[in-house]
Amino acid sequence: MAAALPAAARLWRQPARPASRAVALPAPPRRACVRGEPAEGGGGGRHDTRAPLRTSARRGAMGRAGRRLPALAAVFYGALAALVLLGVRDVLFLYEENRCSMTYMYEYPEYLKIKLPKKTARRYPAYELYLYGEGNYAEENKNLLLTGIPVLFLPGNAGSYKQVRSLGSIALRKAEDVDFKYHFNFFSVNFNEELVALYGGSLQQQTKFVHECIKVILKLYRDQEFAPTSVAIVGHSMGGLVARALLTLKNFKPELINLLITQATPHVAPVMPLDKYLTDFYTAVNNHWILKAQDLRNLTTLSVAGGFRDYQVRSGLAFLPRLSQHDSALSVVSSAVPRAWASTDHLSIVWCKELILATIRAFFDLIDENTRQITEDPKKRMSVLHHHFVRHPAKTFEENPEAFTELTGAFMWIPVKASKWTYSVYNVSNVFFLIVFLCVFFLLMSNFFFLLRILMENISHFLLQATENHTVMFTVKTDTSSWIYGCMNSNSSMCLEATDLSWRAELLPTTKVVILKLQDYTSLSHIVIQVPPTVGNKYTLDCEFFREDSRTVQLPVTHLFSFGLSSSKILLNSTGLLYNVQLQHFNRIYQAFKIYIESHCQSLKERKPSVYRLHVPWSHEDSIIVAKVPSFTEISAKLHIAQPQNDSRVPELNIYSSSDCQYEVILKTSVLQVLGQIIRFHAGALPVYVVSNIFLTYGGQLSTLMSTGQCSDFPLELVRTAKPYKVEPLISIVVFLQGFNWFREIWESLSLPEVDAAVLSSQDAWFPLVSLILFVFGTGIAYWSGVFFSTSLRLFSSLWLTLIRPTVLQKDNKLITPRRLCGVLSLALVSWTTCGAFAVFIIYLQYLFKVIKLHVNVRAEQNMLNGDSDCSKETSQNSSIYTVKNQSSTDSTLKATQSLSNSTTIAEAVNSLKMHVTILNLFTWIVLLNLPSLIYWLKNLRYSVRLDPDPCRSTAIILVCILEILMNSSTSEVKSRARNLPSTSIFQVSKQGGGICTAPFNSNRS
């Protein structure tokens, strides 16, 4: 009986045999050690000893070559994975430091829950509406007798309604400054912190709930004197998209919203298009805004992106789609916002003090004094937003500034023969005027007169630079009053009539600058500068006349494939206040450079800091850096948006320099930042390329199994089959055909996802080699994910062996049994009644458990087989004199037969294990892509047992059936059915299932 049991069972069940008398017998003939060779002494003829030597040498060479190939592959794919990690590191960690200040509440924040109508509360049980308040203000508003201006805050993906506190608190402090003449009531919606960026099934539900909230909010002001008719909305992340989606509702009135401000909202496309509901929602919103553009002209929209610190939503996605009505929509990056000049991450954008201050100042400037609500004039709204978010003139906003003013005083003239002039003053308590004549400078101070004469030949521009105490913030008087005028009419003693030129100024971190093109001001006779009181401070004015072409230099950027080994260099001997360095051929998103600016000065006297601004003319994404003089400064130059096809403007590096200093500018390609740009723009497509490589590898394993009877290892088969030419031609053909309307119609009729190459091309984010680069990166990730997965299985199996006794390898020839059929029907029922991703996750765990169990049994059988082999060798060495027990010849025959049977069984099990590990690796990625809907379902389980809508419901049923078939299949069954079925039938089944599951994620890559 013991000899008939498999080896694994004999390990614990072999009974002790009774001792028997040993009998000396002649030694039997020795058996051959290698199967297929004649036994020693068998077969006549001369024995050639050279053949075994040649065979051994050949096998040794093949073995070394076979060992060398996996090593080289590991090094190559390790390098690819390292490049991916370097790109990820650049995106996640290598960005500018956080320059935002934290906002603080002066009183304890309170959130008053607004009671909703019963019908609304029953329809949306997970959502709530709150009113923000602090201290006495919160107590006064508990009776909901509101008199302010309503603003509704919408949180984003997994966001909290409490994020409104920064806006609400600063708005409350601002209202206290004006004695509550105007104030805002900030409402906030609780979306239950849903993962709407990953699961789009609840976006439509959130949109309808916001519509109900707007109606409830406006009813609270129904009996007030200045009752509002519209609501301003501030939306963070996906909350901004929900606000835009309000206009797609059939019964929504567009006049209910007059102002929409979004913070880090991905308007163009979803960050991770994981399900069809998310992509369909985006398509519906963007198409409506394009088709109904004329109807939306009364809605003013501002989108603020976070810059490179926000690695969750890249700024290119936050720019509103380019529409014809540029006068009603504005998109900026926070690094370009005046008085903020800081990049923000995805969460800090809601509490960044500098950015919140700009937003609240804009809110108060938008108030109409007659209605005490936000103005209904779209032009004024855009003017205010431009004033605070694009170009700040260091002056408070005025809707209708006075065209002319009078300046009185006595003058004395002093000639100064220079094209550049600096004036400084200390501790001045009275206001005085500094007057510049277009041919002569005039200085007015008390009743004394000075004449400053210069030559004006070859002059085209005039620049003024005013600095107070070298600080970012100025005194209230300097910041809010006019300070530069153009004199229209004058006599020898006074300026009779002047126009305000302060609106031409621009505020920079350490200075305010005015650049006037003289040919546009031919009617002016003087330029008058009002110098404010500077008690305890220093006021410096730099003035210069220059020709524009003399201060503009061109610097060609280095080639992408220079890899930072070459550089472009330019030397600026500063004799002026401004230089414009044009970065030639810098227009694509995959370009990234390091710009090094080194300043040297002749003297060590104290100088004002230099300001370096990287200006991108086709989008508001400038970045500004302040550097001491002398210093060595490093600037990262990369784009959020590629240059539009019809735009020929060039990015510039504006250097606001210090006089008598020398600036050396060096530009090099940054390989690490190029990798970071590829990851930033195309990381969402990497999982598709990884799955494509696993598909190719699985198909190669099945092909090898059919031809040789052995299933190859995943890493070796990946090296052999994962070739770009198997995927890239198909992609190129599909992208080419997408240019024809008839093909797009057929494609859409088949419910196929939009090709990501076409989507990225429309966003100017696609370039010819990106698909090849992503495929190679995907191959590297697939290789090491397979290695990691196999290593993890070995660790689990080792732990299993130490805790649980392994079972016997059993061969099951039935692919479908009543028990398995019941299991499939049960999981299908779970998928239909609860959540499809939950059913997929259950069968995935079942598959994982079965693979680990198979791995454990194979290892146990291999250990037993190796033990039997060692015993056989020991017995053969002592075969000259040995003993036999009862039925020794029968036992030897049974042992040999059992050993051969075990070897065959183990070989088949090893082949099946390799195949199952590849399938499990493939479906691991599929489960990860469907995990967000499972998390959403678990989080909302207390409200509803069934996830509706469910993007995985129908596909989960198909996947459950496919996985049940695949997990119970073996290599022997594949080979036996190969005569009746196509050689890749199971592969096609698994590929269809994977394709169905990854279809929303651009599965055309598969």
Side-chain angles (χ1 to χ4, degrees):
M1 289 293 293
L5 289 173
R10 295 202 311 272
L11 183 62
W12 290 282
R13 300 183 183 179
Q14 188 172 12
R17 295 182 179 178
S20 58
R21 186 166 52 90
V23 180
L25 295 176
R30 298 180 63 184
R31 295 186 178 274
C33 296
V34 181
R35 188 171 54 186
E37 296 181 2
E40 186 179 355
R46 184 177 176 181
H47 182 66
D48 189 1
T49 59
R50 292 174 296 178
L53 293 176
R54 287 195 299 268
T55 303
S56 176
R58 191 183 306 113
R59 289 177 179 173
M62 293 176 62
R64 288 191 297 272
R67 289 190 297 269
R68 193 181 300 116
L69 180 61
L72 292 175
V75 172
F76 176 71
Y77 292 120
L80 291 178
L83 292 178
V84 176
L85 291 177
L86 288 175
V88 173
R89 175 175 173 266
D90 178 77
V91 173
L92 299 184
F93 303 105
L94 300 183
Y95 42 70
E96 65 179 77
E97 62 180 4
N98 187 9
R99 291 184 284 178
C100 284
S101 303
M102 177 67 75
T103 52
Y104 295 96
M105 284 75 254
Y106 290 89
E107 297 176 278
Y108 188 79
E110 297 184 24
Y111 306 90
L112 178 62
K113 186 176 179 180
I114 305 298
K115 186 177 180 180
L116 299 174
K118 293 182 179 180
K119 183 179 179 181
T120 303
R122 278 197 311 267
R123 184 177 299 176
Y124 311 101
Y127 301 156
E128 297 169 326
L129 177 64
Y130 289 89
L131 172 64
Y132 177 81
E134 294 180 14
N136 294 331
Y137 173 77
E139 290 293 331
E140 293 173 358
N141 288 333
K142 284 187 176 180
N143 55 6
L144 296 180
L145 297 177
L146 307 179
T147 59
I149 303 170
V151 179
L152 179 61
F153 176 79
L154 305 181
N157 178 60
S160 171
Y161 65 95
K162 296 182 179 180
Q163 291 174 320
V164 72
R165 60 183 176 269
S166 296
L167 285 167
S169 180
I170 292 182
L172 184 59
R173 304 283 86 77
K174 182 73 172 177
E176 290 176 350
D177 293 340
V178 296
D179 295 328
F180 282 91
K181 179 181 179 181
Y182 311 111
H183 70 279
F184 290 84
N185 302 127
F186 277 85
F187 298 84
S188 183
V189 173
N190 179 17
F191 284 136
N192 196 29
E193 300 184 5
E194 294 177 340
L195 300 174
V196 288
L198 304 178
Y199 168 74
S202 61
L203 284 171
Q204 192 68 23
Q205 189 177 14
Q206 287 188 0
T207 304
K208 294 179 180 179
F209 178 74
V210 172
H211 185 199
E212 298 297 327
C213 289
I214 292 175
K215 292 188 288 186
V216 170
I217 291 172
L218 293 178
K219 286 182 180 179
L220 297 176
Y221 299 86
R222 188 168 44 193
D223 300 328
Q224 301 301 324
E225 180 181 359
F226 299 98
T229 58
S230 60
V231 174
I233 295 181
V234 178
H236 173 241
S237 187
M238 295 298 289
L241 185 69
V242 170
R244 290 179 61 211
L246 285 169
L247 300 168
T248 64
L249 299 177
K250 294 182 179 180
N251 57 344
F252 183 80
K253 299 178 181 179
E255 57 269 17
L256 293 179
I257 307 176
N258 56 13
L259 177 65
L260 171 60
I261 298 178
T262 64
Q263 301 171 330
T265 297
H267 292 291
V268 179
V271 177
M272 297 287 285
L274 295 179
D275 64 69
K276 65 176 183 178
Y277 300 110
L278 186 60
T279 55
D280 291 347
F281 189 83
Y282 265 90
T283 302
V285 172
N286 288 329
N287 287 345
H288 181 86
W289 276 61
I290 293 174
L291 296 176
K292 303 291 184 180
Q294 296 299 324
D295 299 337
L296 304 178
R297 295 180 67 89
N298 291 326
L299 172 62
T300 303
T301 307
L302 169 68
S303 175
V304 183
F308 289 108
R309 281 187 61 87
D310 189 353
Y311 54 81
Q312 297 185 41
V313 177
R314 60 178 177 88
S315 297
L317 293 178
F319 278 65
L320 291 163
R322 298 188 181 103
L323 304 176
S324 58
Q325 79 286 6
H326 293 286
D327 56 343
S328 63
L330 177 65
S331 300
V332 298
V333 180
S334 61
S335 59
V337 175
R339 308 171 83 174
W341 298 301
S343 177
T344 61
D345 58 55
H346 197 63
L347 292 180
S348 67
I349 198 171
V350 300
W351 55 257
C352 178
K353 183 178 180 180
E354 291 76 8
L355 200 58
I356 298 299
L357 282 172
T359 305
I360 297 303
R361 293 188 190 110
F363 270 130
F364 276 86
D365 285 342
L366 286 168
I367 297 176
D368 187 339
E369 293 184 358
N370 297 323
T371 63
R372 295 194 177 185
Q373 298 293 325
I374 292 180
T375 178
E376 297 294 332
D377 185 3
K379 292 184 178 180
K380 179 182 177 180
R381 292 198 296 259
M382 285 304 298
S383 298
V384 171
L385 295 181
H386 269 277
H387 179 92
H388 290 282
F389 289 92
V390 177
R391 185 185 179 94
H392 198 293
K395 188 179 184 302
T396 54
F397 176 80
E398 294 181 22
E399 183 178 0
N400 297 310
E402 295 182 1
F404 302 101
T405 186
E406 293 184 2
L407 302 176
T408 59
F411 299 86
M412 181 180 291
W413 315 93
I414 295 179
V416 176
K417 297 181 179 180
S419 62
K420 184 175 65 175
W421 179 56
T422 299
Y423 175 80
S424 298
V425 64
Y426 300 85
N427 294 329
V428 176
S429 58
N430 298 322
V431 178
F432 65 92
F433 296 98
L434 182 66
I435 303 181
V436 181
F437 183 43
L438 293 184
C439 288
V440 182
F441 287 87
F442 299 97
L443 174 64
L444 168 64
M445 185 172 181
S446 298
N447 293 322
F448 297 94
F449 303 90
F450 303 93
L451 176 63
L452 310 176
R453 184 179 300 276
I454 65 170
L455 300 176
M456 293 296 298
E457 298 179 357
N458 299 324
I459 299 299
S460 65
H461 285 68
F462 172 65
L463 184 146
L464 276 175
Q465 206 169 251
T467 306
E468 182 180 349
N469 203 30
H470 307 311
T471 59
V472 177
M473 301 302 296
F474 297 91
T475 62
V476 175
K477 189 172 185 59
T478 303
D479 189 34
T480 59
S481 61
S482 297
W483 65 283
I484 180 171
Y485 305 88
C487 190
M488 307 291 295
N489 187 11
S490 66
N491 57 24
S492 59
S493 62
M494 67 180 61
C495 181
L496 302 179
E497 191 177 43
T499 181
D500 192 353
L501 297 178
S502 302
W503 303 108
R504 303 289 299 174
E506 182 178 12
L507 181 65
L508 295 176
T510 62
T511 186
K512 49 187 177 182
V513 178
V514 173
I515 300 177
L516 302 177
K517 196 171 184 179
L518 297 183
Q519 66 182 20
D520 297 335
Y521 298 93
T522 56
S523 61
L524 299 183
S525 60
H526 302 75
I527 299 295
V528 182
I529 298 96
Q530 178 179 337
V531 180
T534 57
V535 178
N537 294 326
K538 175 183 177 182
Y539 183 89
T540 302
L541 178 70
D542 293 313
C543 175
E544 180 185 16
F545 292 89
F546 64 93
R547 290 185 61 87
E548 185 178 14
D549 54 0
S550 66
R551 300 302 170 83
T552 302
V553 293
Q554 296 181 350
L555 181 65
V557 299
T558 53
H559 196 271
L560 177 66
F561 296 106
S562 64
F563 299 109
L565 301 178
S566 62
S567 63
S568 295
K569 184 185 300 185
I570 194 170
L571 187 63
L572 304 175
N573 292 314
S574 178
T575 58
L577 303 176
L578 172 66
Y579 278 95
N580 296 320
V581 181
Q582 294 183 346
L583 306 179
Q584 298 291 326
H585 313 298
F586 180 31
N587 51 18
R588 310 309 300 172
I589 55 97
Y590 57 82
Q591 295 175 301
F593 307 97
K594 284 288 188 181
I595 300 178
Y596 304 96
I597 304 177
E598 187 173 5
S599 58
H600 303 278
C601 299
Q602 297 178 357
S603 61
L604 298 178
K605 66 179 182 179
E606 182 183 0
R607 300 176 185 272
K608 66 181 181 66
S610 296
V611 178
Y612 307 135
R613 175 170 64 181
L614 182 62
H615 173 61
V616 181
W618 55 80
S619 62
H620 302 294
E621 55 176 281
D622 295 3
S623 58
I624 296 179
I625 294 179
V626 179
K628 296 181 180 180
V629 179
S631 65
F632 182 83
T633 307
E634 178 182 309
I635 301 175
S636 296
K638 45 194 175 183
L639 299 175
H640 295 291
I641 295 180
Q643 184 182 30
Q645 294 181 356
N646 57 351
D647 198 324
S648 60
R649 291 173 294 178
V650 181
E652 291 182 343
L653 176 64
N654 305 135
I655 300 178
Y656 296 89
S657 56
S658 295
S659 58
D660 302 326
C661 290
Q662 187 181 72
Y663 292 82
E664 184 180 18
V665 181
I666 302 174
L667 184 144
K668 293 182 179 181
T669 298
S670 175
V671 178
L672 294 181
Q673 294 193 48
V674 170
L675 294 173
Q677 287 292 86
I678 294 175
I679 296 299
R680 179 177 286 107
F681 281 82
H682 305 289
L686 275 177
V688 182
Y689 284 93
V690 174
V691 171
S692 300
N693 279 279
I694 298 176
F695 272 138
L696 293 174
T697 304
Y698 183 43
Q701 285 181 321
L702 289 176
S703 178
T704 304
L705 179 64
M706 300 301 178
S707 59
T708 65
Q710 300 292 326
C711 184
S712 57
D713 290 329
F714 178 84
L716 295 178
E717 195 62 41
L718 179 69
V719 174
R720 188 179 70 86
T721 58
K723 307 298 181 185
Y725 61 80
K726 296 182 179 180
V727 176
E728 293 304 310
L730 178 61
I731 297 174
S732 301
I733 292 173
V734 173
V735 172
F736 173 75
L737 293 176
Q738 284 281 335
F740 299 96
N741 293 329
W742 61 268
F743 184 80
R744 286 200 301 269
E745 293 176 358
I746 296 175
W747 189 273
E748 293 174 358
S749 63
L750 296 176
S751 299
L752 294 174
E754 192 172 2
V755 183
D756 51 1
V759 175
L760 293 173
S761 296
S762 64
Q763 303 171 16
D764 297 324
W766 189 263
F767 56 95
L769 293 179
V770 66
S771 182
L772 177 62
I773 294 173
L774 293 178
F775 183 88
V776 174
F777 284 174
T779 307
I781 296 174
Y783 180 91
W784 286 105
S785 68
V787 172
F788 174 78
F789 199 77
S790 300
T791 304
S792 301
L793 287 177
R794 292 192 186 96
L795 293 177
F796 279 115
S797 62
S798 300
L799 181 63
W800 187 304
L801 279 172
T802 58
L803 298 177
I804 303 175
R805 179 179 299 178
T807 58
V808 181
L809 278 175
Q810 296 180 355
K811 189 173 182 180
D812 190 0
N813 293 324
K814 294 183 179 180
L815 195 61
I816 299 177
T817 62
R819 181 179 178 181
R820 293 170 184 168
L821 186 60
C822 291
V824 170
L825 293 177
S826 300
L827 289 177
L829 183 62
V830 169
S831 173
W832 191 260
T833 57
T834 58
C835 175
F838 181 55
V840 172
F841 187 69
I842 291 175
I843 197 168
Y844 171 79
L845 293 179
Q846 182 182 350
Y847 198 173
L848 180 63
F849 174 79
K850 188 165 186 175
V851 171
I852 294 175
K853 184 177 180 182
L854 177 62
H855 200 287
V856 170
N857 293 336
V858 168
R859 290 188 60 178
E861 291 289 345
Q862 287 177 338
N863 293 337
M864 287 300 304
L865 185 62
N866 293 334
D868 291 344
S869 177
D870 293 339
C871 292
S872 299
K873 290 181 180 179
E874 183 179 355
T875 304
S876 63
Q877 291 175 358
N878 300 318
S879 60
S880 57
I881 300 175
Y882 62 96
T883 60
V884 291
K885 302 178 182 180
N886 295 332
Q887 301 177 353
S888 59
S889 59
T890 303
D891 288 346
S892 299
T893 303
L894 290 174
K895 286 181 180 180
T897 304
Q898 186 65 34
S899 178
L900 181 61
S901 176
N902 288 342
S903 299
T904 304
T905 303
I906 292 175
E908 293 180 355
V910 169
N911 289 332
S912 299
L913 181 62
K914 293 176 180 178
M915 182 181 68
H916 288 305
V917 168
T918 302
I919 298 173
L920 195 59
N921 186 14
L922 170 65
F923 277 92
T924 299
W925 286 90
I926 295 175
V927 169
L928 290 176
L929 295 179
N930 289 276
L931 200 58
S933 59
L934 176 61
I935 297 175
Y936 179 89
W937 173 74
L938 291 174
K939 194 170 184 178
N940 292 272
L941 194 59
R942 57 178 176 171
Y943 302 109
S944 176
V945 177
R946 191 171 190 261
L947 179 63
D948 190 27
D950 188 356
C952 304
R953 180 169 294 128
S954 57
T955 56
I957 297 175
I958 300 175
L959 287 175
V960 165
C961 298
I962 292 174
L963 279 178
E964 187 65 35
I965 295 174
L966 291 177
M967 77 168 63
N968 294 297
S969 62
S970 62
T971 55
S972 59
E973 294 173 355
V974 174
K975 290 186 289 185
S976 64
R977 291 180 171 86
R979 301 174 182 174
N980 301 323
L981 296 175
S983 60
T984 58
S985 57
I986 297 181
F987 169 63
Q988 294 295 337
V989 171
S990 63
K991 183 174 181 178
Q992 291 172 5
I996 291 171
C997 191
T998 59
F1001 203 71
N1002 299 327
S1003 65
N1004 56 285
R1005 293 294 187 192
S1006 301

